[in-house]
Amino acid sequence: MNILDKIIRDKHVEVGLKKSLIPVSQLENSVLFERQTMSLATALNKSKTGIIAEHKRRSPSKSVINQNTNIQDVAKGYETAGVCGMSVLTDGKYFGGSLDDLLITRASCHLPILRKEFIVDTYQIIEAKAYGADAILLIAAILSKDEIKQFSKLAKTLHLDVLLEVHNVAELHKSIMPSLDMLGVNNRNLKTFEVSLETSKTLSKLIPDEFVKVSESGISSIESIRELQSYGYKGFLIGENFMKTNNPGESAKEFIDNLEI
């Protein structure tokens, strides 16, 4: 069993426990459930840099990345830096995140927020809305075509943007449908955790123009972004490159300032 299989196995158990404790009706009655969402896809389309900055404490491939930051400070720092949006990892067991991180981020900044999670159940989409997210991530590698359709359509009824993540041609072909806003290419192989920007380059020509193209993982240089922009990418998800520093917000600001030169 690879690491992705373990994460998904544990996620089904976790969601089952949550559903037994907090009913959907309680989520729908939350204060944030009726708030007007902000479109991450629109923000990316209008931006020259397209940086989606991530908050990530640890990962299965890197163990500890940064356990010392205050997510409130990180969110404010990212907003000051001029990022397009913020990605918040909410998986606890493998990435050290939580739904509280989502809440605190929502209260700390006015950026579109992506809930970065392994979504395997519609419950998590309703949960995302209740905790202040503006967009959700769907991972093609762990979902069937019918699940992608069901989950993305539900997200649209809740006014949440959908970023669909793929790793190869087969995943891309099963995933393209009108209920998506952004198509993300993850340069990291989720089974081996090896990274290659060639994945984004190869798949770029197969992604229809109506979707905002996002490149994810392994992006650490200005040169990489400029190269990927020439392949039609408008969004760039960067986490580790900022989070491994003592001040992620300042690191993001320096990166964006250099990108705009």
Side-chain angles (χ1 to χ4, degrees):
M1 185 180 285
N2 62 49
I3 187 65
L4 182 59
D5 293 334
K6 290 177 183 176
I7 291 172
I8 300 312
R9 176 198 63 192
D10 292 344
K11 191 59 60 178
H12 279 287
V13 174
E14 176 192 315
V15 174
L17 289 170
K18 282 186 177 182
K19 289 169 79 171
S20 69
L21 290 171
I22 303 172
V24 166
S25 58
Q26 188 173 327
L27 293 173
E28 291 174 337
N29 285 325
S30 70
V31 173
L32 291 173
F33 201 80
E34 296 302 322
R35 66 171 279 272
Q36 187 172 346
T37 54
M38 295 178 276
S39 172
L40 177 58
T42 299
L44 291 175
N45 261 330
K46 290 180 178 177
S47 172
K48 291 180 181 177
T49 58
I51 303 297
I52 306 167
E54 189 158 88
H55 183 270
K56 177 162 64 172
R57 293 186 179 89
R58 65 174 191 264
S59 75
S61 61
K62 292 287 184 179
S63 188
V64 173
I65 297 169
N66 193 332
Q67 296 279 39
N68 302 318
T69 56
N70 178 317
I71 194 166
Q72 181 177 356
D73 294 338
V74 174
K76 288 180 176 178
Y78 280 160
E79 185 170 31
T80 301
V83 305
C84 273
M86 184 165 167
S87 168
V88 179
L89 270 150
T90 58
D91 174 78
K93 182 171 182 177
Y94 295 92
F95 291 88
S98 71
L99 281 165
D100 281 346
D101 287 340
L102 201 55
L103 272 183
I104 294 167
T105 302
R106 178 73 286 148
S108 304
C109 70
H110 299 284
L111 295 166
I113 300 174
L114 169 73
R115 183 189 184 185
K116 188 87 172 286
E117 180 58 90
F118 298 87
I119 291 180
V120 295
D121 193 291
T122 53
Y123 182 87
Q124 294 162 286
I125 301 170
I126 296 166
E127 198 175 49
K129 182 69 187 288
Y131 279 80
D134 299 285
I136 59 162
L137 175 75
L138 297 180
I139 303 172
I142 65 173
L143 300 171
S144 67
K145 183 171 185 175
D146 286 344
E147 286 173 325
I148 294 168
K149 184 180 290 186
Q150 179 192 6
F151 292 178
S152 57
K153 282 187 172 181
L154 172 61
K156 300 318 294 176
T157 66
L158 297 174
H159 306 290
L160 295 170
D161 276 5
V162 180
L163 170 60
L164 190 284
E165 175 182 296
V166 300
H167 300 81
N168 54 48
V169 175
E171 289 177 6
L172 180 61
H173 284 325
K174 82 169 182 182
S175 305
I176 293 174
M177 55 188 73
S179 45
L180 307 176
D181 302 283
M182 299 162 281
L183 270 163
V185 178
N186 194 334
N187 301 303
R188 176 174 284 116
N189 184 313
L190 285 185
K191 295 181 179 178
T192 66
F193 278 82
E194 293 174 351
V195 174
S196 172
L197 293 184
E198 292 304 313
T199 309
S200 281
K201 295 176 188 177
T202 302
L203 294 182
S204 65
K205 60 178 98 53
L206 303 176
I207 300 174
D209 290 338
E210 61 260 36
F211 302 108
V212 178
K213 296 180 189 177
V214 179
S215 186
E216 311 169 28
S217 298
I219 301 167
S220 59
S221 70
I222 303 296
E223 292 71 27
S224 295
I225 288 186
R226 288 186 176 142
E227 189 176 3
L228 289 168
Q229 283 175 332
S230 71
Y231 284 84
Y233 285 92
K234 297 284 288 182
F236 307 93
L237 184 64
I238 303 177
E240 193 177 307
N241 198 48
F242 302 147
M243 286 300 298
K244 67 185 179 184
T245 67
N246 291 327
N247 189 328
E250 189 58 41
S251 176
K253 185 179 188 308
E254 184 179 339
F255 190 92
I256 289 170
D257 286 348
N258 288 329
L259 185 57
E260 290 178 330
I261 293 173

